[in-house]
Amino acid sequence: MSMYVVGHKIPDSDSICGAIALAYLKNQIDEPAIAARLGELSPETAFILERFGFEAPLFKESYAGEEVYIVDHSELTQAPDDIAKATIVGIVDHHKLGDLTTSTPLECWIRPVGCSNTIIKMMYDFYKVDIPANIAGIMMCAILSDTVIFKSPTCTTADIRCVEALAEIAGIEDFKALGMEMFKVKSAVEGTPARVLVMRDFKDFNMNGNLIGIGQLEVIDLAVFDSIKADLEADIKALKAEGKRHSVLLLLTDIMKEGSEMLVISDDSELTQKAFGKATVDGKVWLDGVLSRKKQVVPQLQKAFA
Amino acid sequence: MSMYVVGHKIPDSDSICGAIALAYLKNQIDEPAIAARLGELSPETAFILERFGFEAPLFKESYAGEEVYIVDHSELTQAPDDIAKATIVGIVDHHKLGDLTTSTPLECWIRPVGCSNTIIKMMYDFYKVDIPANIAGIMMCAILSDTVIFKSPTCTTADIRCVEALAEIAGIEDFKALGMEMFKVKSAVEGTPARVLVMRDFKDFNMNGNLIGIGQLEVIDLAVFDSIKADLEADIKALKAEGKRHSVLLLLTDIMKEGSEMLVISDDSELTQKAFGKATVDGKVWLDGVLSRKKQVVPQLQKAFA
């Protein structure tokens, strides 16, 4: 019986590249595995897979009765809907410890680093399995994406060393140039429907019983949003109502200016004041230096809801 | 600021030896750490520490405001009472994934092996830190205890290889003989009050909203219980009432015959029939081949409560 290796809902590059890289590793150590995904590829991820010659992993939503290796989260809200009927055999992740539980022992490779693929590289090292050049390429791109080319406060020395090692294996001389190319693909938002943009990197969190949806769009210049910001605001308002959410927040992150404008719709008009010490004005607040949802947004909100 | 490295409530040898071994490792890699414990040493653990020249770790129950590295579980019921006010920086464990959660990223070294100390040995290898002979000795004893000298179904090849490597570092030629000495200490139950015996290796589990307490006593010959079994039965009945538990189960494990007599007091008279396919008669049921609470008792009960 093969296990399925699958990342979170609304998969990002870490979830997709991680599933491919980990499934390959597991197959090398005689643990049959199939890479899978819970949603559509983002343009960034499609760019990475095409660049290194991979097909998208299997689209599969239901896992009842299957063995599953979870990539890039440990949260019920981000897992397959029927995960309770599956057997979780492992988790590789770099976020806070979420509310997934199991009834049998498993393996968890969880580290406070910038990207799950950095941990998957440690797993290759542990099992002494060589990484093929094209897999090294997608792993490297996932780390460059998650760490915003090393600019994010989540980036650690381990992530940088890992990218350097993977770039050598992949034969990529200028990995920062490839990273910028990737973020240019990510910045092409014109002509895309608001809902598609909002959902591109969207995660729901259960914060003390309140459902909080947080999206993020990372671009090279926030000016790309000028003509569509009103549409984005209308869309997160609709999304809040549809999902009975307490709040929906959308981070518009400028990776060059290194900060984020947050669009806010919430049952609590003081939410950003409480969490970030800065009031929301006209449904917006600029958060200087904020690049990371995981490190600079989620913990602060969780404290506000505690 | 030092982190505290601490195992579960009612600590066993894995929790105590693991806290000492992991705190030492952390100090070697410039992460100041203090080994701690949540309860009294068992006679077995006291024997191990004396054999290799260690004092008991610091007894400390409250961790509010502190950084904590959790050893040998990931369950709220087994953690310090005020763990929600502490920062969990890491977990090393070999059980099912429990209900501990965090609000910030952490490291988790969780593997489906027989003992947390086997994983701590992997951590030493990862960080390339030499294990001092006396620390190798206590780690080895913890693994021999948790795996019942390799007889438990939880024992893996990794545990056996690990004991062999640690025995060499510790300079112990006949580690199986040392293991038997350890289990003889564990088998000396005469003259000990029933409550002390029941609580010696006792864990509470939250099973679908029901509190289930499960104790285990591993001995070389079940005959040692003949004169005290009635006292043990009366005590688990009292313990059930005091803690508002749904059930209290006490496994009397014969490590030579390789099976367990389970003493049962439960709100559900069919519990062992549902979980193990065998009815409880006069408050007792013999479970042939059952040596491991973790692998042969807890998952089966959880299914019965699902």
Side-chain angles (χ1 to χ4, degrees):
Chain A
M1 176 171 153
S2 286
M3 75 180 91
Y4 290 94
V5 183
V6 68
H8 50 74
K9 288 178 176 169
I10 309 170
D12 60 359
S13 297
D14 195 21
S15 272
I16 297 291
C17 301
I20 295 172
L22 181 53
Y24 177 86
L25 169 61
K26 285 288 178 184
N27 282 309
Q28 301 312 301
I29 56 173
D30 292 326
E31 298 178 22
I34 297 164
R37 64 187 162 96
L38 293 177
E40 292 306 305
L41 299 188
S42 74
E44 182 200 67
T45 309
F47 167 83
I48 297 170
L49 296 193
E50 202 195 330
R51 174 73 174 74
F52 291 98
F54 286 95
E55 299 289 320
L58 175 72
F59 177 66
K60 179 173 168 67
E61 286 185 299
S62 171
Y63 293 85
E66 306 287 359
E67 294 194 339
V68 179
Y69 205 115
I70 298 281
V71 176
D72 202 32
H73 74 94
S74 61
E75 309 272 347
L76 271 172
T77 53
Q78 298 174 28
D81 289 335
D82 58 0
I83 191 69
K85 292 180 187 154
T87 302
I88 302 176
V89 294
I91 298 175
V92 53
D93 188 29
H94 64 121
H95 299 85
K96 72 190 181 71
L97 188 60
D99 52 3
L100 280 179
T101 59
T102 68
S103 56
T104 47
L106 77 169
E107 59 176 72
C108 294
W109 293 72
I110 302 175
R111 300 289 182 278
V113 295
C115 182
S116 297
N117 275 276
T118 300
I119 308 165
I120 294 171
K121 168 73 161 58
M122 294 177 196
M123 298 173 76
Y124 272 89
D125 293 343
F126 177 82
Y127 290 110
K128 297 188 174 69
V129 170
D130 288 335
I131 308 177
N134 57 348
I135 286 188
I138 62 173
M139 292 172 72
M140 183 193 76
C141 284
I143 303 170
L144 290 169
S145 170
D146 261 18
T147 63
V148 192
I149 317 177
F150 307 157
K151 286 183 181 189
S152 169
T154 61
C155 185
T156 66
T157 313
D159 298 300
I160 298 171
R161 295 287 161 273
C162 186
V163 163
E164 290 167 350
L166 292 169
E168 195 166 323
I169 298 168
I172 304 289
E173 286 206 8
D174 190 347
F175 58 77
K176 287 198 177 179
L178 179 55
M180 278 305 286
E181 234 188 293
M182 221 169 65
F183 276 96
K184 266 177 208 154
V185 172
K186 217 169 180 170
S187 301
V189 297
E190 250 191 75
T192 309
R195 176 57 57 96
V196 173
L197 288 177
V198 169
M199 297 307 290
R200 185 160 282 169
D201 177 10
F202 187 87
K203 288 180 184 174
D204 275 317
F205 296 87
N206 179 343
M207 297 198 183
N208 205 9
N210 303 289
L211 188 63
I212 314 296
I214 312 176
Q216 184 171 25
L217 291 165
E218 293 162 317
V219 297
I220 290 171
D221 183 351
L222 285 195
V224 299
F225 295 118
D226 285 350
S227 61
I228 56 169
K229 205 173 284 178
D231 291 348
L232 294 174
E233 289 175 309
D235 193 71
I236 63 171
K237 194 171 174 180
L239 201 59
K240 176 178 180 298
E242 290 162 29
K244 291 180 186 161
R245 293 178 177 90
H246 176 283
S247 308
V248 176
L249 312 172
L250 181 63
L251 288 159
L252 305 177
T253 299
D254 189 318
I255 73 163
M256 304 310 286
K257 291 207 184 77
E258 302 194 11
S260 295
E261 181 172 57
M262 185 187 270
L263 308 187
V264 180
I265 175 90
S266 175
D267 287 343
D268 179 356
S269 61
E270 313 253 289
L271 183 62
T272 63
Q273 185 66 49
K274 288 175 191 163
F276 309 105
K278 226 175 151 184
T280 303
V281 179
D282 285 341
K284 303 179 193 70
V285 56
W286 171 257
L287 300 173
D288 208 47
V290 168
L291 291 172
S292 164
R293 172 172 50 193
K294 180 178 85 165
K295 204 154 184 168
Q296 298 171 296
V297 176
V298 171
Q300 289 74 3
L301 285 167
Q302 270 189 316
K303 265 186 203 153
F305 279 101
Chain B
M1 175 171 155
S2 285
M3 75 179 91
Y4 290 93
V5 183
V6 68
H8 51 72
K9 287 178 176 169
I10 311 171
D12 59 359
S13 297
D14 195 21
S15 272
I16 298 289
C17 301
I20 295 172
L22 182 54
Y24 177 87
L25 169 61
K26 286 288 178 184
N27 282 309
Q28 301 312 301
I29 57 173
D30 292 327
E31 298 178 21
I34 297 164
R37 64 188 161 96
L38 293 177
E40 293 306 305
L41 300 187
S42 73
E44 181 199 70
T45 309
F47 167 83
I48 297 170
L49 296 193
E50 202 196 328
R51 173 74 174 72
F52 291 98
F54 286 95
E55 299 288 319
L58 175 71
F59 176 66
K60 180 174 168 66
E61 286 184 297
S62 172
Y63 293 86
E66 306 287 359
E67 294 194 340
V68 179
Y69 206 115
I70 299 280
V71 176
D72 202 31
H73 74 95
S74 60
E75 307 273 348
L76 271 172
T77 53
Q78 298 174 27
D81 289 334
D82 59 358
I83 192 68
K85 292 178 186 155
T87 302
I88 302 177
V89 295
I91 298 174
V92 54
D93 188 29
H94 65 121
H95 299 86
K96 71 191 182 70
L97 189 59
D99 53 3
L100 279 178
T101 60
T102 67
S103 56
T104 48
L106 77 168
E107 58 175 73
C108 294
W109 293 73
I110 302 175
R111 300 288 182 279
V113 295
C115 183
S116 298
N117 274 275
T118 299
I119 309 165
I120 294 171
K121 168 73 160 59
M122 293 176 194
M123 296 172 77
Y124 272 90
D125 293 344
F126 177 82
Y127 290 111
K128 298 188 174 67
V129 170
D130 287 334
I131 308 177
N134 57 349
I135 287 187
I138 62 174
M139 291 171 72
M140 182 194 76
C141 284
I143 303 169
L144 290 169
S145 170
D146 262 18
T147 62
V148 192
I149 318 175
F150 307 157
K151 288 185 180 189
S152 170
T154 62
C155 186
T156 66
T157 312
D159 299 299
I160 297 171
R161 295 288 161 270
C162 186
V163 163
E164 289 167 351
L166 292 169
E168 193 166 326
I169 297 168
I172 305 290
E173 287 204 7
D174 190 348
F175 58 77
K176 288 200 177 177
L178 179 55
M180 277 306 284
E181 237 188 289
M182 222 168 62
F183 275 96
K184 267 178 208 153
V185 170
K186 217 169 181 172
S187 301
V189 297
E190 249 190 76
T192 309
R195 176 58 55 97
V196 174
L197 288 176
V198 170
M199 298 306 290
R200 186 161 281 168
D201 177 10
F202 187 87
K203 290 181 181 172
D204 274 318
F205 297 86
N206 179 342
M207 296 196 183
N208 205 10
N210 303 289
L211 188 63
I212 315 296
I214 313 175
Q216 184 171 26
L217 291 166
E218 294 162 317
V219 297
I220 290 171
D221 182 351
L222 285 196
V224 299
F225 295 118
D226 285 350
S227 61
I228 57 169
K229 205 173 283 178
D231 291 348
L232 294 174
E233 289 175 310
D235 194 71
I236 62 171
K237 193 171 176 183
L239 200 60
K240 176 177 180 300
E242 290 161 27
K244 292 179 186 160
R245 294 178 176 89
H246 176 283
S247 308
V248 176
L249 312 172
L250 182 62
L251 288 159
L252 306 178
T253 299
D254 190 318
I255 72 163
M256 303 312 287
K257 291 206 184 77
E258 305 195 8
S260 295
E261 180 172 56
M262 185 186 269
L263 308 187
V264 179
I265 175 91
S266 174
D267 287 342
D268 179 356
S269 61
E270 313 252 289
L271 184 61
T272 62
Q273 184 67 49
K274 288 176 192 163
F276 309 105
K278 223 175 153 185
T280 303
V281 179
D282 285 340
K284 302 177 193 70
V285 57
W286 170 258
L287 300 173
D288 208 47
V290 169
L291 291 172
S292 165
R293 172 173 51 194
K294 181 177 85 166
K295 205 153 182 168
Q296 298 171 295
V297 176
V298 171
Q300 289 73 4
L301 285 167
Q302 270 191 316
K303 265 186 204 155
F305 278 103

